[in-house]
Amino acid sequence: MSSQSMDHNNLHFIQLRGSTTVMKLMQQIGLQYMNEYPNIRLPLVGGGTAMGYKSVLDGSSDIGMASGQISPEIQLWAQKHKLKFEEITIAADGIATIVNPVNPINELTLEQLHDIFTGSITSWNALGKYSGPINVVSHDPQLGTYEPWRRQVAGKDHITLRAKVVTSLNSLMQSITSDPFSIGYVGTTFLDKQKVKPLAIDGVLPTYSSIKNRQYPIRNNLQLLMRPSTSKEVKDFVAYCLDSKHGQVIIKEMGLVPVAGE
């Protein structure tokens, strides 16, 4: 034990809950933070972005984690109960379009992507050198990546009802790797180029620099959520995540685009 031996009465728990994308960052930043501040514990629970918003509003977490905007239902509930919260963007991510590696197509326009995901193009034959049905794989709306994808790709239209809906990263990867005609999407944090192939959209691949320079068209903000009345410990941890010498360094090392200290 170090000279500042652990005083267990002095332990402070900060509960984080929500987006699995943000959770991946918090695991790394949290480890470093707990090393530097041994009296702080940062228990993490997933459950998706909707859970991040709900939990910070109902008080079951100190910090919510979100990778997409609040749903209209939760927003109405918050307004009805006069509950306020702050959204703090800590990083930006791209959302990659992914296909099975055997698919010879390397790029699509954003318009073609819209037509695929809204169901007006249903065959690879319409897009060039590949033939077969297009099997769309989409995320459950409870997952944070769904909302920014729907907004930026489908726009005012709905995602096709023929889409296979997945609720986890594993089932998404399984769907794409097992089906040569599939197409899906994933945050670049979880992009595994050994298993799936990302497509260029409007000629741009989702790389660190194209997301940072806003050339890649489908992007997502990763956020921490807190109540205005929160504790000093919570505010200190959020500030650490935003610090260009601490949390933001880890965010950059993980291949995400930091919001501070470039």
Side-chain angles (χ1 to χ4, degrees):
M1 297 259 52
S2 64
S3 54
Q4 33 169 232
S5 74
M6 293 299 298
D7 174 1
H8 285 285
N9 301 331
N10 194 20
L11 275 183
H12 198 94
F13 288 85
I14 299 174
Q15 175 73 59
L16 292 95
R17 195 180 287 260
S19 157
T20 46
T21 308
V22 180
M23 189 158 116
K24 194 170 178 183
L25 290 181
M26 292 299 106
Q27 283 165 337
Q28 299 295 324
I29 296 173
L31 280 174
Q32 187 170 305
Y33 194 77
M34 289 186 289
N35 276 337
E36 290 179 37
Y37 300 92
N39 65 320
I40 299 285
R41 291 283 181 276
L42 296 159
L44 293 167
V45 182
T49 288
M51 177 57 74
Y53 283 101
K54 276 189 197 118
S55 68
V56 81
L57 288 164
D58 70 17
S60 58
S61 73
D62 299 296
I63 298 176
M65 300 179 284
S67 62
Q69 290 175 317
I70 189 166
S71 72
E73 302 85 54
I74 303 175
Q75 195 154 23
L76 280 173
W77 182 74
Q79 284 162 352
K80 189 178 153 196
H81 295 280
K82 297 187 170 53
L83 298 169
K84 292 205 170 12
F85 64 94
E86 292 172 55
E87 294 169 301
I88 300 102
T89 298
I90 56 165
D93 190 8
I95 309 178
T97 304
I98 51 173
V99 295
N100 188 289
V102 302
N103 189 328
I105 290 171
N106 294 316
E107 64 173 289
L108 294 169
T109 65
L110 195 53
E111 195 177 343
Q112 286 170 328
L113 197 59
H114 167 278
D115 291 350
I116 289 168
F117 272 84
T118 55
S120 54
I121 295 179
T122 56
S123 156
W124 288 108
N125 307 49
L127 299 163
K129 46 186 187 296
Y130 197 36
S131 70
I134 296 177
N135 297 330
V136 172
V137 181
S138 185
H139 296 220
D140 185 287
Q142 292 290 310
L143 302 177
T145 313
Y146 170 86
E147 198 279 332
W149 176 268
R150 188 199 56 73
R151 192 175 69 246
Q152 294 169 85
V153 173
K156 293 184 168 57
D157 300 313
H158 294 287
I159 286 184
T160 172
L161 294 173
R162 282 195 294 271
K164 176 179 179 179
V165 175
V166 293
T167 53
S168 70
L169 182 69
N170 284 347
S171 49
L172 169 67
M173 285 299 168
Q174 178 64 37
S175 299
I176 303 291
T177 52
S178 64
D179 178 3
F181 301 117
S182 60
I183 184 168
Y185 55 94
V186 70
T188 52
T189 327
F190 295 106
L191 179 56
D192 184 345
K193 289 181 191 158
Q194 258 74 56
K195 292 183 177 166
V196 296
K197 180 167 83 168
L199 300 183
I201 302 301
D202 289 343
V204 183
L205 277 163
T207 62
Y208 179 86
S209 63
S210 73
I211 296 162
K212 182 177 185 298
N213 301 335
R214 299 180 164 270
Q215 291 163 306
Y216 183 73
I218 313 161
R219 291 182 304 274
N220 192 14
N221 285 339
L222 306 185
Q223 297 177 314
L224 297 179
L225 317 168
M226 64 179 183
R227 289 182 300 282
S229 59
T230 193
S231 67
K232 179 184 183 302
E233 285 83 0
V234 167
K235 286 178 177 153
D236 287 349
F237 176 68
V238 171
Y240 186 91
C241 292
L242 287 169
D243 190 315
S244 59
K245 293 185 177 62
H246 292 108
Q248 296 289 302
V249 174
I250 295 173
I251 282 166
K252 190 168 181 182
E253 282 167 359
M254 292 180 74
L256 289 159
V257 177
V259 291
E262 276 299 298

